[in-house]
Amino acid sequence: MSTSLERYTDRFEQYADRYPRVVDVVLVLALMGGATLGSNLSLPGADPPDQDGTAIVLMGVSCLALLKYRTHPRTAVVVTAVCTVIAISRGYLLTPLLLGPVMAALYWLATLSDRKTTRVFGVTTMVALMAAAVCADSMDGLSLLLRTIGPFFWLMLPLAAGNMTRLRRAYLASVQARAEHAERTREEEARLRVTEERMRIARELHDVVAHHMALANAQAGTAAHLALTSPQQSQKILTDLTGTTSSALRELKATLGLLRQNDDPASASLEPSPGLARLPELVSACASAGLTVTVTTTGEPRPLSPGVDLTAFRIVQEALTNVTKHAAADAAHVRIAYAGSRLLITVSNDGPDAMGTKDTADIKNTTDTTDAEPGRGFGVMGMRERAHTIGGELRAGPRPEGGFEVTTALPLQPSAPETPHQAAPEAAPQAAVAATDVPAGGEES
């Protein structure tokens, strides 16, 4: 039953929204008919009021005033109240039918106006009508209590109903506003997640491609240089070049496979993310490219979370790639220290600056930004983002004694949660650690 009533109510509201003027005219005509009928009523044994048409004129004026309730609700209340008081004072019996126009005006006033306005006009109208009822001759057969409680009760009904309607509309408006805000928030969050995921993918692909392609380029150049003077060594380097390209293909396949993988438990497992355990492979690959790398570990090694392990390996990999590509050095030093709750990694080389002073100054001014200029790489920016993602810090810059150095401090346990297939969740680029950050080789890859 309630469902059917709600359905019909919704249909009526939809129709009223589409044709408001038609609904207003129908309601006014209904109130006019009820008021005309009420003007002919009288108490048993009492003389009926004179049928001179005064009540019809008064009710007609009040009903016409109701047509302006949408734009002038206070005026409609005043006109209907005055007409009703005049009708009562002329001997017409105060009945709910006679009160119909003023009750409708009070309801719309409570619906369209604020609480203070409703209270002022509502109380004034009730006092005026109760006073007219007390003084009217048509109600001499009733006690004073019945004369006052009747108008008070009938006039309180539209005020309460209008107030409830206004509160319900305000509640629905607030719910709709919250829903729209939540929808906008979800869209913004989705865009942010997409941006973060794009940054993570770009960072991962850069680390894989830049490192292996730099090594492959160095190995190919060395092999071409030694092809005539040392064929055996050239052949060994070409063999190592095959291993470098194969490793690059494997890591690319693993990265792209992670992007394609769904949540099906039966899907094929992927190659584990690289970590510091693969440093010997990295050192061997750099050696085949002509760069001698020494690794020194201090402190008691402790297990690292997948995110920290991957971040540490990628930072070392990128720093050595920069040395291979840009630094005029044949040796690099990697120092790993377990100190308290931090993992300290330093990658340095003793080679001279491969760039001019102007280029170095340009990098100092641009490495603290989130967007690299055309022609410049993303190496230092990517390393810094990786370190910041897990709550670490990174510095890169020239050494006072010559060469370049990359230093990072990573927490043994990351400050952000990790997911099973994402070793370290990435975030959008953050502020740089220092204004003098430059890559280990002098220029970003």
Side-chain angles (χ1 to χ4, degrees), residues 54-65:
T54 303
I56 297 177
V57 174
L58 292 174
M59 294 302 102
V61 173
S62 62
C63 289
L64 288 177

Side-chain angles (χ1 to χ4, degrees), residues 30-253:
L31 291 172
M32 181 65 188
T36 303
L37 178 61
S39 64
N40 296 322
L41 300 179
S42 61
L43 292 175
D47 295 332
D50 297 333
Q51 301 296 326
D52 55 0
T54 303
I56 297 177
V57 174
L58 292 174
M59 294 302 102
V61 173
S62 62
C63 289
L64 288 177
L66 290 178
L67 293 175
K68 295 294 184 180
Y69 77 90
R70 297 181 184 274
T71 56
H72 302 84
R74 291 182 289 271
T75 303
V77 171
V78 172
V79 173
T80 54
V82 170
C83 291
T84 305
V85 169
I86 294 175
I88 296 173
S89 63
R90 292 186 61 85
Y92 292 95
L93 182 63
L94 181 60
T95 63
L97 292 176
L98 195 67
L99 289 175
V102 70
M103 291 173 63
L106 289 175
Y107 170 80
W108 286 321
L109 177 71
T111 302
L112 301 176
S113 301
D114 58 275
R115 184 175 301 178
K116 181 179 179 180
T117 302
T118 303
R119 186 182 300 113
V120 172
F121 280 83
V123 171
T124 304
T125 302
M126 285 192 295
V127 170
L129 290 176
M130 286 190 296
V134 170
C135 300
D137 297 334
S138 60
M139 304 182 69
D140 288 340
L142 299 178
S143 64
L144 181 62
L145 179 61
L146 293 178
R147 292 186 183 190
T148 56
I149 196 173
F152 176 81
F153 175 77
W154 288 111
L155 295 177
M156 278 297 297
L157 285 178
L159 291 175
N163 188 56
M164 292 178 60
T165 301
R166 179 175 55 82
L167 293 177
R168 178 175 176 273
R169 291 179 179 177
Y171 171 74
L172 293 177
S174 65
V175 170
Q176 183 177 2
R178 287 197 299 268
E180 293 175 354
H181 176 72
E183 185 66 24
R184 289 194 301 269
T185 303
R186 281 195 297 269
E187 293 177 357
E188 294 173 359
E189 183 178 356
R191 286 194 295 268
L192 179 61
R193 288 180 180 273
V194 170
T195 302
E196 292 176 352
E197 186 65 12
R198 289 176 58 190
M199 294 297 299
R200 186 188 70 83
I201 295 171
R203 206 159 35 233
E204 197 69 25
L205 291 177
H206 171 271
D207 290 345
V208 172
V209 174
H211 168 69
H212 290 94
M213 292 302 101
L215 288 181
N217 180 70
Q219 290 170 337
T222 304
H225 179 72
L226 298 177
L228 299 178
T229 59
S230 181
Q232 293 182 349
Q233 187 176 1
S234 176
Q235 183 178 3
K236 181 180 182 301
I237 293 176
L238 290 176
T239 303
D240 294 338
L241 176 60
T242 303
T244 300
T245 55
S246 299
S247 178
L249 290 175
R250 284 196 305 271
E251 291 203 27
L252 282 175
K253 181 179 179 181

Side-chain angles (χ1 to χ4, degrees), residues 11 14 46 62 67 79 95 153 212 268 291 312 328 336 339-340 352 357 368 380 431 445:
R11 291 180 180 178
Q14 293 176 2
S62 62
L67 293 175
V79 173
T95 63
F153 175 77
H212 290 94
L291 178 66
I336 302 175
T357 304
D368 287 342
V380 168
S445 59

Side-chain angles (χ1 to χ4, degrees), residues 357-380:
T357 304
K358 180 181 181 299
D359 294 335
T360 303
D362 291 341
I363 286 186
K364 290 180 181 180
N365 294 331
T366 59
T367 53
D368 287 342
T369 63
T370 57
D371 298 323
E373 296 178 359
R376 299 199 181 277
F378 298 87
V380 168

